[in-house]
């Protein structure tokens, strides 16, 4: 029997007893159980879905002390951050509960018949949505609550009427199992099938790939590396019946800082940006990995201020030894590609020191290696000669979860061009603040062009996340009894 070992992030010591890896047969059983639970859950009312989601939120909060302590052991993210993340996770669950209760998943468009010949005349049509089916959900390393067992993917899928099979992340195995235990208690208390939410764990084709390939699975949701997400997307597309795969992948999140603003707020912005680069040891999908500056005295002064502020940061241990090694390898890769280090200090085996480098815009545009994400407290300054070259830099990035534009408050030809350039490559454009931190709101868009996500039309955060797991259906000349359902399941 294969086993999995969890580790204390701060020391690398083994944490707890080894856990059994899910066998291929158990993967199949979890997917089959989700498939068996689908019909009844797809037909559930908004009130039933809301009751489950609120029960899951309450269960999380009831075990807060134990969950946060365990998460801190496995991730080193600290109790303040983890308590805040648990609050966000409960908030997400309750927000989707409210949406389910309001009937968001049952919204419909009524298009009455128009007499006469086409194209003006047409039969009566109603457009509504149905749930896709069981969802394979792959937990993220860096958000052990908000993008894990009861994270936004699970919450939005359940609100849409879809069962979920969660693939636990190896970086917080014991936490995932403890949360899953709470899930099973809530399901049992509400008389719901245990297969409505399943959990599998382990690596390789025996687990994650097998889950995506299982015929009962109707969609995939993933947060992680570009390489891992691309491999799973390929599996989802290669099935006899391909399924949608919603992957939130790598992103370098450019920050463009214009000279006029740096002249008046440079020191303040440098401190803010340094904190964002080092936040969570840089383990955010929205961490600012690229800073685009136009050459000049204001930008040079800003770099000096950023160097000082970043050197004063003390990132905590990374989530896993593998991520720590990958960070060092990524930094070395940037330097080998031609990035000139400005701040590079040795860290320890668990916690790295911040890394800052610089490169000419022409080199950044020409070399793919300079545009690769380094997961950790790292950022590269890109020196541009003009706004036109800044736009070339953004175009070279190609796709990003975010672009931040500092100094675009005044309407001009240049700022309009920068806004167009930013919107062309990003799912979210910021004009103040920093990209780390993604609000759960109605207007949020967390997803952008490749390589930041596999489906740039969708979001993995915010109210619209539910749309990923719903499929539109048109009902033509439907009988009166069916129309009376008002979009609700039959």
């Amino acid at each position: 029997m294969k086993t999995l070992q969890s580790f204390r992030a701060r020391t690398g010591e083994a944490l707890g007893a080894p856990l059994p890896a899910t066998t291929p047969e158990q993967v199949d059983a979890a997917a089959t159980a989700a498939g068996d639970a689908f019909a009844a859950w797809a037909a559930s009312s908004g009130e039933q879905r809301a009751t489950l989601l609120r029960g899951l939120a309450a269960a999380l909060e009831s075990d807060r002390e134990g969950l946060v302590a365990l998460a801190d052991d496995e991730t080193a993210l600290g109790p303040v951050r983890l308590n805040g993340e648990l609050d966000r996770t409960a908030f997400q669950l309750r927000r989707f509960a409210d949406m389910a209760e309001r009937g968001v998943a049952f919204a419909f468009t009524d298009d009455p018949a128009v007499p006469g010949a086409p194209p003006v005349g047409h039969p009566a049509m109603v457009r509504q949505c149905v749930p896709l089916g069981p969802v394979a959900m792959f937990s993220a390393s860096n958000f052990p609550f908000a993008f894990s067992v009861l994270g936004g993917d699970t919450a939005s899928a359940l609100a849409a009427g879809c069962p979920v099979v969660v693939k636990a992340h190896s970086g917080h195995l014991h936490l995932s199992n403890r949360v899953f235990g709470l899930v099973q208690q809530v399901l049992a208390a509400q008389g719901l099938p245990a297969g409505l939410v399943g959990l599998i764990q382990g690596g390789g084709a025996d687990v994650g790939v097998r889950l995506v390939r299982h015929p009962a699975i109707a969609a995939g949701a993933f947060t992680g590396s570009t390489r891992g997400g691309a491999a799973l997307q390929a599996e989802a597309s290669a099935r006899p019946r391909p399924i949608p795969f919603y992957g939130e992948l790598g992103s370098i999140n450019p920050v463009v800082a214009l000279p006029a603003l740096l002249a008046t707020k440079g020191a303040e912005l440098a401190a803010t940006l340094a904190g964002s680069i080092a936040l969570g040891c840089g383990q955010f999908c929205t961490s600012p990995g690229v800073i685009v500056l136009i050459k000049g005295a204001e930008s040079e002064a800003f770099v000096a201020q950023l160097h000082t502020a970043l050197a004063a940061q003390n990132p905590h241990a990374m989530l896993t030894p593998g991520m720590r090694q990958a960070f060092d390898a990524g930094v070395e890769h940037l330097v080998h590609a031609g990035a000139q280090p400005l701040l590079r200090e040795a860290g320890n085996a668990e916690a790295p020191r911040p890394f800052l480098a610089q490169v000419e815009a022409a080199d950044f545009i020409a070399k793919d290696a300079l545009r690769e994400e380094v997961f950790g407290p790292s950022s590269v300054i890109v020196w541009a000669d003009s706004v036109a070259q800044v736009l070339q830099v953004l175009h070279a990035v190609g796709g990003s979860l975010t672009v931040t534009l500092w100094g675009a408050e005044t309407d001009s030809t240049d700022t309009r061009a920068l806004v167009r350039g930013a919107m062309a490559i990003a799912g979210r454009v910021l004009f103040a603040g920093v990209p780390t931190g993604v609000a759960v709101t109605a207007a949020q868009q967390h997803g952008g062009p490749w390589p930041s996500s596999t489906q740039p039309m969708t979001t993995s955060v915010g109210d619209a996340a539910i749309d990923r797991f719903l499929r539109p259906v048109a009902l033509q000349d439907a009988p009166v009894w069916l129309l009376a359902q008002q979009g609700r399941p039959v």
Side-chain angles (χ1 to χ4, degrees), residues 98 196 230 310:
D98 292 344
L196 186 57
L310 196 56

Side-chain angles (χ1 to χ4, degrees), residues 393-407:
V393 168
L394 294 179
H395 181 74
V397 170
S400 184
L401 292 171
T402 73
V403 171
T404 303
L405 297 179
W406 284 344

Side-chain angles (χ1 to χ4, degrees), residues 159-186:
C162 298
V164 178
V165 180
V166 178
K167 162 67 168 60
H169 195 277
S170 60
H172 34 83
L173 289 169
H174 284 294
L175 176 68
S176 296
N177 278 267
R178 183 160 176 158
V179 172
F180 181 64
L182 295 174
V183 173
Q184 291 300 299
Q185 291 174 23
V186 173

Side-chain angles (χ1 to χ4, degrees), residues 37-267:
F38 174 51
W41 191 244
S44 64
S45 68
E47 291 74 17
Q48 288 173 299
R49 299 177 193 181
T51 298
L52 173 59
L53 291 164
R54 290 178 183 135
L56 294 171
L60 271 182
E61 292 171 334
S62 71
D63 194 22
R64 175 188 296 272
E65 185 176 350
L67 291 174
V68 167
L70 183 54
D72 188 41
D73 261 349
E74 288 190 300
T75 68
L77 292 175
V80 173
R81 150 75 190 273
L82 290 166
N83 270 292
E85 191 183 327
L86 191 150
D87 289 339
R88 168 185 164 161
T89 306
F91 173 81
Q92 287 178 153
L93 289 162
R94 292 192 174 102
R95 188 176 183 94
F96 281 107
D98 292 344
M99 291 172 61
E101 205 164 51
R102 295 199 310 270
V104 170
F106 314 128
F108 68 100
T109 301
D110 187 4
D111 192 358
V114 175
V120 176
H122 65 77
M125 305 282 284
V126 173
R127 180 184 171 94
Q128 63 183 64
C129 289
V130 296
L132 283 181
V135 176
M137 198 286 278
F138 292 78
S139 296
S141 62
N142 53 341
F143 283 88
F145 291 115
F147 283 83
S148 190
V149 178
L150 284 179
D153 289 335
T154 298
S156 54
L158 290 172
C162 298
V164 178
V165 180
V166 178
K167 162 67 168 60
H169 195 277
S170 60
H172 34 83
L173 289 169
H174 284 294
L175 176 68
S176 296
N177 278 267
R178 183 160 176 158
V179 172
F180 181 64
L182 295 174
V183 173
Q184 291 300 299
Q185 291 174 23
V186 173
L187 292 175
Q190 296 189 13
L192 296 170
L196 186 57
V197 181
L199 182 77
I200 63 173
Q201 55 197 15
D206 286 350
V207 179
V209 171
R210 191 177 185 94
L211 179 63
V212 168
R213 289 175 176 172
H214 196 281
I217 297 299
F222 173 90
T223 300
S225 70
T226 301
R227 181 179 178 182
L232 289 170
Q233 182 188 32
E235 292 289 346
S237 299
R239 289 171 36 132
R241 292 184 179 181
I243 59 173
F245 184 80
Y246 303 106
E248 188 250 273
L249 312 178
S251 186
I252 58 176
N253 306 295
V255 174
V256 178
L258 298 180
L261 185 64
L262 295 181
T264 59
K265 298 183 66 177

